[in-house]
Structure formats: C-alpha cells, structure tokens
Amino acid sequence: TQLLEQSPQFLSIQEGENLTVYCNSSSVFSSLQWYRQEPGEGPVLLVTVVTGGEVKKLKRLTFQFGDARKDSSLHITAAQTGDTGLYLCAGGETSGSRLTFGEGTQLTVNP
Amino acid sequence: DAGITQSPRHKVTETGTPVTLRCHQTENHRYMYWYRQDPGHGLRLIHYSYGVKDTDKGEVSDGYSVSRSKTEDFLLTLESATSSQTSVYFCAISLQGPMNTEAFFGQGTRLTVV
C-alpha cells in the first residue's frame, strides 16, 4: 500500500491569513485528489491533479502536484470561516483501482 | 446529492455479533468502496468492488467481508464484531475508477461495538 503523509495535522488561523497544507509520499501516484469534509458528512472532492507540476486554482484555493508526482500542496489565500473543515489528500495508486488517503488536516478559521 | 444511501446511519452492537452495513447507489457506477475513518488515520480502505461479484481487499480487510450481487448494492459484513471495529464507515462510488473520475461518498455509518 502506498502511504500519504499530511502536514500539519491541525491548523488554527485567523480569518484573512494564508495557509498551506502538504501531502507527501515516497511513492508515485497516477493522480492526486483533494477532498474537504464537514462534520457528519462524507468527503467532497475539490480537485484532481494528474500531471507532474500541474497547478490548479479554484477561487482562493491553489493546488499543486509535484513534478515527480509524489507530493502535493493546497494553498488557501485570505482564509474565511467557511473554509473550516477537514482537508484530505488522496492518491490514485499506479497499480490498480485503489484510492489511498492521507490522515487529514483539520483547519479552523477563527473570525 | 450523488445518489448514495448508507444504512443504518447509526448502530450499537455487542462484541461477537455479526453486523451488516448496506450501501445503495442509484448512479449505476461500476466501482464501489468501503472505508473506515478513525482519528489520526484518515480514511482506510477495507474492501472494494469493480463490478458485480468482483471484489478485492483493501489495507484493513481482516474481520470484514463484502458482497455485491447487484450493481447498486455493496454490503459490508463484520463477521464477529470487536471493539476495535468501532468506527465511522463510509461507502464511496466512482464511475471509472478513482484515478479517472471523482469518488462520491455516502454520509457514513457510525458503528459502536460495546
């Protein structure tokens, strides 16, 4: 099983600040997905990146896939209280149909 | 709403009893997955299916079995529940496999084994 490590595990910031969440592995993934999960709900997909070096922007969120397809980052600009949630990265394994998740980053944006 | 229904949503059961969780989809997606979510571990894959009667093990499959007799239903059975299986269980579906398309998740089943 290919492993993904997320950091930090917990992040508490003030509204308006910027932040970056990291997702790292020693393995190569065919794709990397980022999900956001709210309490009592299942994760919801934010973005999928498939090409090494790829950068995708979703409003204030910027996602990057590492050149070697082993790592990814999520950057949020000017965080809002509505960004609060659990952010999960997930890698599509090159060998089959599995989607491997990181442990998650619990983000709290304070007003 | 991705057309995924998990049942039950909450269950308390005793150690040693069998438990079956159901995932029902209305999307006709080929792939279905069962994950468990525990603090500090993220989502861990238990079993998955890539078609009717086609299933495979995930990373934490011990103590669990699955069945998929119809495209729309994927059942997860805890053969003899243990306290370590207390968790939140999520079902997910995807059209072509997680590398190619979005995975949609159900709302989860909170299982407590006492």
Side-chain angles (χ1 to χ4, degrees):
Chain A
T1 302
Q2 297 172 261
L3 299 177
L4 279 166
E5 294 184 353
Q6 277 188 246
S7 61
Q9 189 173 357
F10 298 96
L11 189 56
S12 180
I13 62 171
Q14 295 300 122
E15 199 168 24
E17 293 183 350
N18 302 331
L19 67 112
T20 302
V21 177
Y22 299 92
C23 180
N24 296 298
S25 176
S26 58
S27 304
V28 175
F29 289 94
S30 60
S31 68
L32 207 296
Q33 299 179 352
W34 284 92
Y35 290 79
R36 180 167 170 266
Q37 184 179 19
E38 299 196 26
E41 303 289 332
V44 176
L45 182 71
L46 295 173
V47 77
T48 300
V49 285
V50 296
T51 304
E54 183 176 1
V55 177
K56 280 192 175 180
K57 292 189 175 183
L58 184 66
K59 296 185 180 178
R60 294 175 294 101
L61 278 61
T62 302
F63 305 86
Q64 186 163 5
F65 201 12
D67 291 342
R69 292 188 291 137
K70 293 182 178 181
D71 55 84
S72 181
S73 63
L74 158 61
H75 182 79
I76 300 179
T77 304
Q80 300 176 356
T81 55
D83 295 327
T84 293
L86 179 67
Y87 289 82
L88 296 154
C89 66
E93 294 189 357
T94 55
S95 59
S97 302
R98 302 183 184 190
L99 191 62
T100 300
F101 282 82
E103 308 96 329
T105 295
Q106 181 62 53
L107 171 65
T108 302
V109 181
N110 303 298
Chain B
D1 184 1
I4 307 171
T5 305
Q6 289 186 233
S7 59
R9 292 293 312 279
H10 301 272
K11 186 171 182 65
V12 179
T13 192
E14 293 186 349
T15 298
T17 60
V19 177
T20 296
L21 308 183
R22 180 181 184 238
C23 179
H24 178 78
Q25 61 148 328
T26 58
E27 306 297 319
N28 202 36
H29 280 18
R30 177 183 175 190
Y31 291 82
M32 299 185 75
Y33 308 83
W34 277 107
Y35 289 89
R36 60 178 288 175
Q37 187 172 35
D38 305 288
H41 291 279
L43 286 155
R44 291 182 291 175
L45 182 64
I46 305 171
H47 282 280
Y48 67 101
S49 170
Y50 45 95
V52 173
K53 297 186 179 179
D54 291 324
T55 65
D56 205 351
K57 296 180 179 180
E59 59 183 302
V60 290
S61 60
D62 287 348
Y64 301 94
S65 62
V66 291
S67 66
R68 191 168 179 201
S69 58
K70 299 184 290 185
T71 298
E72 56 266 35
D73 290 324
F74 193 32
L75 304 180
L76 176 71
T77 297
L78 288 66
E79 293 139 10
S80 178
T82 66
S83 58
S84 64
Q85 293 176 311
T86 292
S87 186
V88 180
Y89 291 85
F90 284 98
C91 173
I93 64 173
S94 67
L95 181 59
Q96 296 178 347
M99 297 83 74
N100 300 317
T101 58
E102 176 177 356
F104 296 93
F105 284 81
Q107 292 190 298
T109 295
R110 183 173 294 276
L111 176 68
T112 302
V113 183
V114 298

